[in-house]
Amino acid sequence: MSPTSFPRDRIRIALLENIHPAAAEALRESGYSVDVIPKALEGEDLDTVIASAHILGLRSRTKIRDAQLAVANKMLAIGCFTVGTDQVAIQDAARRGIPVFNAPHASTRSVAELTLGCVIALARRLGDKNSRMHGGHWDKSLAGAHEVRGRTLGIVGYGHIGQQVGLLGEAFGMRVIFHDILKKLPLGLARPVADVDALLAESDFVTLHVPETPRTVEMIGAPQLARMRAGSYLLNLSRGKVVNVPALQDALRREHLGGAALDVFPSEPAPTLAEVDVGFSDLPNVILTPHVGGNTEEAQRNIGLEVAHAITEFIDRGSTEGAVNFPHVNLPAMPETHRILNIHRNVPGVLAEVNHIVSEIGANIEAQQLVTSRDVGYLVMDVNRELSDEVNNRIAALPMSVRTRILY
Ligand code: NAI
């Protein structure tokens, strides 16, 4: 470590909102000082934490807007220990030189397992049997109860979750078909189909695993539901707006569909709201869950470890791999070199200016990587001579510099 680099135990990490303990454990093992604050913060309490932390970790209830970022003078990075990052103004953070990390795929397996659970529950009408038995009815009727073996599972969106769903479906003896806008290598015996319409016409179970985009909003409406086979089932564990709810209610009411499983809804209530009616309570064979597809202990632990790892890689090596708002730089560490990071406004000529300052101290540049995106440029440079505070200060004083840090 060079005398100019910052000692690890002086890097202060504040983890809010009951982030899984595996994260604090991993970060402490890396040598950082970690403060665990179990609740969400707002107002002055939040500002106080933000002003003193080098890293802020949060889940979805703490909101970080530009007003909060304005006091984040020491902040190196923000870790969203969640799948999404809506709780943080990520472009403002980028402008201020703060990368934001999340864990988009840590709950993949949890969602896939619940999806298959719902496939079987729909095929056996378990939702209705369960509520009838809770109501004191011993209903042994086999009407509408089927095995899933040999049935066709149609997956729309063959990404991380869709692929796992396909593998699990196959393990149950299902025929798996999928449609994705990108060309995807099929896993197992899964077979791609040319378009959504072909998939709808062929599937006994249609399960949606697409992101919410202008193209996917209401991609399943009345015309698509009409193309589904009579008695088939729809599952949505992706995003609520992908399905037109009144059209689905109508298809279920007319018994064109045999049932549906919904984990997500176009508008979802605050977590504390006790009473909720998403509009399906009077319809048979509809399994409703309150957006819990990714809510397992295992997924929370994976999220904790994944974000902690990304943060450690950024602090120690300057890697921004996986950041949602930053150019991705991942320069391998080389022995006997010294590394400096410079985050700057994306204007021409930065590299020449930085190289000039470094060459003036007689240092040779061993490796460098500059990547830009939108407003931000990010430069990681390895040189063969120790870098002084003076070099750091000269680079930091360049008019386009936002943040500069000597790593080692
Ligand atoms: P992913 O990005 O790995 O996969 C999404 C796939 O959908 C990609 O392969 C993409 O090319 C494809 N796609 C995009 N637009 C499409 C279109 N118009 N037609 C067909 N395919 C299209 O995402 P991942 O991790 O598999 O997540 C899928 C969905 O699951 C997302 O909406 C995510 O928000 C949701 N999710 C839900 C959770 C829950 O608790 N229920 C938890 C985690 C994720």
Side-chain angles (χ1 to χ4, degrees):
M1 179 184 283
S2 101
T4 44
S5 59
F6 206 65
R8 282 178 159 203
D9 61 355
R10 283 181 51 205
I11 293 195
R12 297 195 56 184
I13 301 183
L15 298 182
L16 315 185
E17 297 190 63
N18 263 328
I19 287 167
H20 195 281
E25 211 174 291
L27 292 165
R28 284 190 182 120
E29 260 173 35
S30 298
Y32 311 122
S33 298
V34 181
D35 293 326
V36 173
I37 302 162
K39 53 181 188 172
L41 294 181
E42 57 182 358
E44 271 180 33
D45 293 344
L46 179 58
D47 287 355
T48 307
V49 170
I50 288 181
S52 64
H54 296 104
I55 303 286
L56 181 70
L58 41 84
R59 290 172 70 192
S60 47
R61 281 183 296 127
T62 302
K63 308 290 177 213
I64 306 290
R65 303 290 165 236
D66 200 41
Q68 283 74 46
L69 294 167
V71 297
N73 296 324
K74 298 183 179 166
M75 188 82 68
L76 299 176
I78 295 175
C80 293
F81 287 75
T82 45
V83 169
T85 53
D86 297 348
Q87 67 276 48
V88 176
I90 57 170
Q91 290 315 331
D92 292 324
R95 201 169 36 77
R96 292 177 181 277
I98 303 172
V100 177
F101 298 93
N102 66 336
H105 303 302
S107 56
T108 297
R109 189 69 183 190
S110 300
V111 181
E113 286 189 8
L114 184 62
T115 304
L116 258 292
C118 288
V119 165
I120 292 174
L122 287 172
R124 302 295 290 271
R125 304 184 80 87
L126 283 194
D128 293 354
K129 299 269 185 222
N130 178 55
S131 38
R132 277 181 69 71
M133 195 143 167
H134 277 281
H137 299 279
W138 183 261
D139 171 9
K140 266 179 76 71
S141 108
L142 57 73
H146 298 280
E147 289 185 358
V148 300
R149 180 170 50 156
R151 295 300 183 109
T152 300
L153 176 63
I155 302 168
V156 183
Y158 196 61
H160 286 78
I161 297 172
Q163 293 180 6
Q164 290 293 316
V165 166
L167 289 175
L168 292 176
E170 228 168 75
F172 276 98
M174 302 183 82
R175 290 175 61 235
V176 177
I177 59 174
F178 68 86
H179 170 68
D180 199 291
I181 42 166
L182 300 179
K183 193 165 169 51
K184 295 285 174 114
L185 181 74
L187 299 184
L189 298 174
R191 178 168 55 84
V193 291
D195 51 39
V196 178
D197 284 354
L199 180 138
L200 297 173
E202 206 181 320
S203 301
D204 298 301
F205 296 83
V206 173
T207 183
L208 309 171
H209 299 289
V210 290
E212 184 183 316
T213 67
R215 227 170 129 177
T216 61
V217 168
E218 307 217 340
M219 76 185 289
I220 303 296
Q224 290 73 29
L225 292 163
R227 277 182 205 111
M228 287 178 65
R229 301 175 67 169
S232 63
Y233 309 88
L234 180 73
L235 296 92
N236 187 13
L237 290 87
S238 63
R239 284 291 176 258
K241 291 193 177 133
V242 173
V243 175
N244 178 301
V245 167
L248 175 60
Q249 288 162 333
D250 182 55
L252 288 162
R253 205 164 281 125
R254 288 187 292 104
E255 295 183 5
H256 173 58
L257 292 195
L262 303 172
D263 185 46
V264 289
F265 304 88
S267 125
E268 297 183 4
T272 45
L273 203 72
E275 290 214 354
V276 63
D277 179 8
V278 289
F280 288 87
S281 22
D282 60 328
L283 293 166
N285 206 21
V286 178
I287 294 169
L288 301 173
T289 47
H291 203 149
V292 292
N295 284 13
T296 60
E297 289 280 344
E298 289 78 5
Q300 285 308 314
R301 186 182 149 76
N302 288 344
I303 287 174
L305 292 175
E306 207 170 299
V307 180
H309 178 72
I311 287 170
T312 307
E313 286 289 294
F314 178 64
I315 301 175
D316 289 0
R317 293 201 306 111
S319 164
T320 46
E321 196 73 58
V324 290
N325 61 341
F326 239 66
H328 287 182
V329 173
N330 189 0
L331 195 64
M334 289 207 298
E336 292 168 33
T337 58
H338 300 274
R339 177 167 289 188
I340 188 162
L341 318 177
N342 173 255
I343 298 162
H344 51 264
R345 282 187 291 112
N346 184 13
V347 292
V350 181
L351 197 56
E353 299 248 21
V354 174
N355 286 354
H356 177 68
I357 294 170
V358 170
S359 70
E360 275 193 350
I361 60 159
N364 196 34
I365 297 167
E366 303 285 342
Q368 64 183 6
Q369 205 176 355
L370 168 66
V371 185
T372 58
S373 67
R374 284 178 68 149
D375 308 333
V376 185
Y378 182 36
L379 170 68
V380 177
M381 181 185 279
D382 288 343
V383 297
N384 67 346
R385 283 190 50 178
E386 204 162 272
L387 293 156
S388 62
D389 277 338
E390 192 208 328
V391 173
N392 184 74
N393 294 344
R394 280 183 65 191
I395 297 174
L398 291 172
M400 63 290 265
S401 280
V402 178
R403 282 173 198 232
T404 304
R405 186 159 65 100
I406 294 175
L407 276 195
Y408 45 82

